[in-house]
């Protein structure tokens, strides 16, 4: 391995075929992300991992690493943009952290803390989104979906199923269940599926398990997401 | 009784005086007084002008969210809502109170004693002690905890630290001082560690001593201002609270007991799951707060008071020695009859602080709080009712869920709601007895607030009715003539009328 790129002036080695995100993660450099998961095909949709590569904005999770790239990652301007993106994710859905059972284990919340997001900045949309509680073991609260497609990819790539998909465009985009009724109870999803555990927010939840982890013992109670993301096993992304 | 002052006939011709907001209470309320040309009070009302609506918007949410979601009703007594909801969802997972694991039961009780202690300390020292120590009509700048700290530093500091201790008990059990997450369906999510237990033990003796001192203080204040303290805003009422089956004071779990003003027991050891066979609620057009009443006595006579005065009044004894000794003195003050003085709420409240401190000490020495079985479950049910004695009185949470675990119906009778009629009657009494016919000044008006404050109302907890509120919409043209009127009755029916 003798090829390198630089991230914020630090020389980072990489192998051919790696993305900037993969090279950075291997070198213990944190790039904020939500739709990226090391086990699944990159999607490049949340745009939180936007970095400047030779002066041009790129998604680090999809952009191939290349010799001599000068990447800007942890800069004030880029983090401000990331904060705005996170704020937009918050106002687009109904994310009420204080009563959400995912609080303390939520990557969206943890990224917001990491980026020092102190308010929503934008007006809340208050969308009207239904909840699908039809499945005996798994619940979808569409209010908290950020359309990262991790459930879609996990179902297809790891569970060998095709339970979820995105439908609609723009502001009308939404998560659907691939069944004639559109209900989760009619799908092949079971509680042990990876897709049932992969959601980075509180949109897909295992029923009747909320609040069982005491405050103080949740993933992000005492650790910043940058540390968690770099120091724990890949499965740690699932909660 | 001063019911004739609820609604004046010629309201449009009367002078209007408004106390807005009522200060040093939790939540937002206002008082309106309508005066005639001689400053005689013709109408006096306590309006609750904020609206929360929790009963409606928790519909559609999964039941396990309830303890954490509904506790956001309040920043002062969230634990009470947390635990009432938890008791209700225990039933949804098939767990009745007697089947809750012993450790979970004791940890929840510890949590609740911390809650009642901190809420009562906050109310007495931070909110009410300025009135009681400086006088009801003292200058406005003196009526705050800051002035108490300056003039009576020992009392002020003890109050702040008593409250802090209660908050620390809550933090140790539920992870946060406010809005933690301890109780879950069928139990609790953690036991105390030895370090947490020892941390709480180190100050408990001091807390008991200070709580004892607070009881002595309020007794002295009360008894050195007789008969004024006995009569101010006083009214004879029914009282309702939970008690243990043996009649002892109970804050976490028991049966419903009701006594009338003469002290006769009307209900005893009633299973609270049957509450709606005994209690109904009425709505009125001028406030967001409902008016509960005892079905057997009807709307006119069935209203009752809840809270510390009710609890200490109608229990047979208190099972901690220092608080029991204080209760005996309290009852001796009225020659064993029920104490109807509204200002005696403060006295009863501080007896309960002492009881909480003693109970916390007892529980901290109980090994069950350090571990053991914490959660259990049984067969799913579709309806759950949780009732608890919150700091301000009996608190009812009632939920129904569907086959998908989603809440379909919720009814909350919040403690302050039960005191609604009594607070209004106290406001009317003070307005008629102490204000009527006088030129109203700010200190004079504080008398009204003192009366309300004695109940320690939490107005933000208590306003949830949606769709039941009778409303009147009037369309008036530029000349001030009534063009049309739309009435919505409390049955939900609409009526159109033309001007």
């Amino acid at each position: 391995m003798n090829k390198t790129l630089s991230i914020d002036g630090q020389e980072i080695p990489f192998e051919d075929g790696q993305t900037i995100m993969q090279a950075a993660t291997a070198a213990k450099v944190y790039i904020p992300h939500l739709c990226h998961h090391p086990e699944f095909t990159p999607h490049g949709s949340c745009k939180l991992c936007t970095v400047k590569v030779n002066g041009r904005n790129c998604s680090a999770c999809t952009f191939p690493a290349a010799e001599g790239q000068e990447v800007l990652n942890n800069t004030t301007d880029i983090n401000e943009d990331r904060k705005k993106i996170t704020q937009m994710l918050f106002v687009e859905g109904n994310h009420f952290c204080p009563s959400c059972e995912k609080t303390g284990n939520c990557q969206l919340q943890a990224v917001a803390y990491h980026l020092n997001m102190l308010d929503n900045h934008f007006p809340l949309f208050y969308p009207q989104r239904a909840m699908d509680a039809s499945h005996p073991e798994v619940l979808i609260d569409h209010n908290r979906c950020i359309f990262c497609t991790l459930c879609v990819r996990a179902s297809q790539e790891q569970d060998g199923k095709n339970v979820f998909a995105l439908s609609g465009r723009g502001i009308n985009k939404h998560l659907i269940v691939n069944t004639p009724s559109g209900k989760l109870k009619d799908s092949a999803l079971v509680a042990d599926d990876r897709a049932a555990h992969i959601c980075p927010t509180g949109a897909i939840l295992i029923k009747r398990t909320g609040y069982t982890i005491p405050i103080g013992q949740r993933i992000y109670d005492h650790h910043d997401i940058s540390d968690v993301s770099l120091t724990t096993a890949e499965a740690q992304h699932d909660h | 009784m001063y019911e004739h002052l609820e609604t004046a006939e010629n309201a449009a011709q009367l002078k209007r005086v408004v106390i807005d907001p009522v200060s040093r209470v939790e939540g937002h309320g206002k008082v309106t007084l309508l005066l005639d040309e001689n400053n005689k009070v013709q109408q006096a009302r306590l309006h609750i002008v904020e609206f929360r609506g929790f009963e409606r918007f928790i519909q559609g949410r999964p039941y396990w969210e309830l303890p954490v979601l509904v506790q956001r009703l309040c920043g002062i007594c969230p634990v009470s809502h947390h635990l009432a909801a938890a008791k209700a969802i225990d039933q949804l997972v098939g767990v009745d109170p007697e089947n809750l694991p012993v450790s979970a039961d004791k940890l929840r009780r510890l949590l609740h004693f911390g809650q009642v202690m901190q809420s009562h300390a906050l109310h007495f020292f931070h909110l009410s002690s300025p009135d009681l120590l400086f006088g009801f009509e003292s200058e406005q700048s003196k009526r705050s905890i800051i002035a108490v700290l300056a003039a009576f530093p020992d009392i002020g500091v003890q109050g702040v630290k008593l409250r802090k201790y209660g908050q620390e008990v809550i933090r140790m059990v539920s992870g946060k001082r406010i809005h933690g997450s301890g109780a879950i369906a069928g139990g609790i999510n953690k036991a105390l560690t030895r370090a947490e237990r020892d941390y709480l033990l180190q100050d408990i003796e001091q807390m008991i001593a200070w709580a004892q001192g607070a009881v002595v203080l309020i007794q002295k204040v009360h008894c050195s201002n007789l008969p004024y303290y006995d009569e101010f805003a006083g009214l004879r009422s029914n009282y309702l609270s939970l008690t243990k089956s043996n009649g002892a004071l109970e804050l976490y779990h028991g049966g419903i007991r009701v006594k009338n003003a003469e002290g006769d027991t009307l209900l005893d050891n009633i299973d609270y799951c049957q509450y709606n066979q005994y209690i109904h609620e009425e709505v009125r057009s001028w406030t967001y707060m409902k008016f509960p009443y005892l079905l057997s006595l009807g709307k006119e006579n069935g209203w009752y008071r809840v809270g510390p005065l009710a609890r200490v009044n109608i229990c047979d004894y208190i099972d901690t020695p220092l608080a029991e000794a204080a209760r005996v003195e309290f009852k001796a003050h009225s020659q064993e009859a029920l104490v109807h003085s509204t200002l005696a709420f403060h006295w009863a409240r501080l007896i309960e602080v002492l009881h909480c401190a003693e109970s916390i000490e007892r529980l901290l020495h109980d090994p069950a709080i350090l571990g053991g079985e914490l959660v259990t479950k049984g067969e799913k049910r579709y309806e759950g009712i949780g009732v608890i004695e919150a700091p301000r009185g009996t608190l009812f949470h009632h939920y129904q869920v569907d086959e998908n675990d989603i809440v379909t119906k919720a009814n909350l009778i919040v403690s302050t709601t039960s005191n609604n009629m009594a607070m209004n009657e106290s406001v009317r009494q003070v307005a008629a007895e102490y204000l009527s016919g006088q030129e109203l000044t700010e200190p004079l008006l504080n008398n009204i607030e003192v009366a309300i404050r004695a109940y320690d109302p939490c107005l933000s907890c208590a306003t949830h009715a949606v769709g039941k509120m009778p409303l009147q919409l009037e369309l008036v043209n530029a000349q001030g003539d009534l063009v049309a009127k739309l009435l919505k009755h409390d049955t939900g029916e609409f009526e159109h009328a033309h001007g």
Side-chain angles (χ1 to χ4, degrees), chain B residues 42-43 96 119 153 299 315 321 499:
Chain B
Q42 300 296 319
Q43 176 179 304
D96 289 314
S119 175
K299 288 180 187 176
C315 73

Side-chain angles (χ1 to χ4, degrees), chain B residues 267-428:
Chain B
L267 298 172
D268 202 8
N269 269 320
I270 299 295
D271 175 5
Y272 60 63
C273 291
Q274 311 296 321
Y275 80 95
N276 53 12
Q277 293 179 21
Y278 301 94
I279 298 167
H280 280 198
E281 293 175 286
E282 183 193 4
V283 285
R284 298 189 187 180
S285 60
W286 47 271
T287 177
Y288 281 118
M289 196 151 70
K290 294 184 274 190
F291 290 83
Y293 61 94
L294 296 162
L295 201 53
S296 59
L297 299 180
K299 288 180 187 176
E300 293 298 314
N301 303 313
W303 58 278
Y304 55 89
R305 291 199 278 187
V306 298
L309 183 63
R311 291 189 290 250
V312 175
N313 248 336
I314 68 177
C315 73
D316 297 335
Y317 71 101
I318 299 176
D319 68 1
T320 55
L322 299 176
E324 170 60 7
R327 187 197 67 86
V328 168
E329 284 202 48
F330 177 81
K331 291 301 289 252
H333 177 69
S334 61
Q335 289 82 46
E336 301 305 316
L338 294 183
V339 178
H340 292 297
S341 160
T342 296
L343 290 176
F345 261 101
H346 296 296
W347 190 349
R349 194 169 284 123
L350 292 173
I351 292 172
E352 288 191 340
V353 171
L354 181 55
H355 171 61
C356 289
E358 289 182 282
S359 302
I360 288 169
E361 184 187 41
R362 186 183 284 171
L363 281 167
L364 289 176
H365 287 294
D366 190 328
I369 64 165
L370 298 177
E373 186 189 13
L374 295 179
V375 186
T376 188
K377 70 173 186 178
E379 290 232 340
K380 176 184 164 80
R381 296 180 206 162
Y382 292 86
E383 187 163 27
I385 297 172
V387 179
I388 197 165
E389 282 297 327
R392 289 156 192 79
T394 319
L395 169 65
F396 299 76
H397 281 215
H398 183 177
Y399 306 106
Q400 290 173 2
V401 296
D402 65 15
E403 66 281 7
N404 295 324
D405 303 325
I406 298 301
V407 177
T408 56
K409 193 174 174 187
N411 186 37
L412 310 176
I413 304 180
V414 178
S415 323
T416 294
T417 315
S418 293
N419 283 334
N420 196 5
M421 185 62 137
M423 285 192 293
N424 271 285
E425 182 61 17
S426 288
V427 165
R428 293 191 290 258

Side-chain angles (χ1 to χ4, degrees), chain A residues 101 131 141 144 207-208 211, chain B residues 60-61 64 189 404-405:
Chain A
E101 64 186 88
M131 197 155 60
D141 188 342
R144 303 171 185 149
K207 280 184 168 182
R208 300 175 289 277
Y211 315 104
Chain B
R61 301 304 308 172
W64 54 89
N189 66 13
N404 295 324
D405 303 325

Side-chain angles (χ1 to χ4, degrees), chain A residues 26-138:
Chain A
K28 302 291 183 194
V29 172
Y30 174 66
I31 301 177
H33 58 270
L34 284 170
C35 73
H36 168 72
H37 189 294
E39 292 179 49
F40 302 112
T41 310
H43 192 246
S45 58
C46 77
K47 300 301 174 194
L48 264 181
C49 70
T50 298
V51 290
K52 264 196 179 1
V53 182
N54 299 335
R56 183 179 150 209
N57 284 340
C58 301
S59 297
C61 70
T62 55
F63 205 79
E67 180 70 41
Q69 282 173 336
E70 290 193 6
V71 178
L72 294 179
N73 169 42
N74 190 20
T75 71
T76 305
D77 286 350
I78 292 173
N79 283 331
E80 274 303 303
D81 288 344
R82 289 172 178 155
K83 188 162 80 179
K84 289 277 185 292
I85 290 168
T86 310
Q87 287 167 323
M88 287 191 270
L89 288 172
F90 266 86
V91 302
E92 191 182 73
N94 293 309
H95 298 279
F96 304 123
C97 299
S99 60
C100 177
E101 64 186 88
K102 197 65 180 268
T103 188
N105 291 323
C106 173
Q107 291 181 34
L108 177 64
Q109 183 190 45
V111 158
Y113 278 125
H114 175 79
L115 296 169
N116 196 32
M117 179 184 137
L118 300 177
D119 61 13
N120 288 321
H121 181 75
F122 302 107
L124 289 154
F125 284 25
Y126 294 120
Q128 295 277 330
R129 295 187 190 163
M131 197 155 60
D132 183 348
S134 62
H135 193 285
E137 302 296 332
V138 183

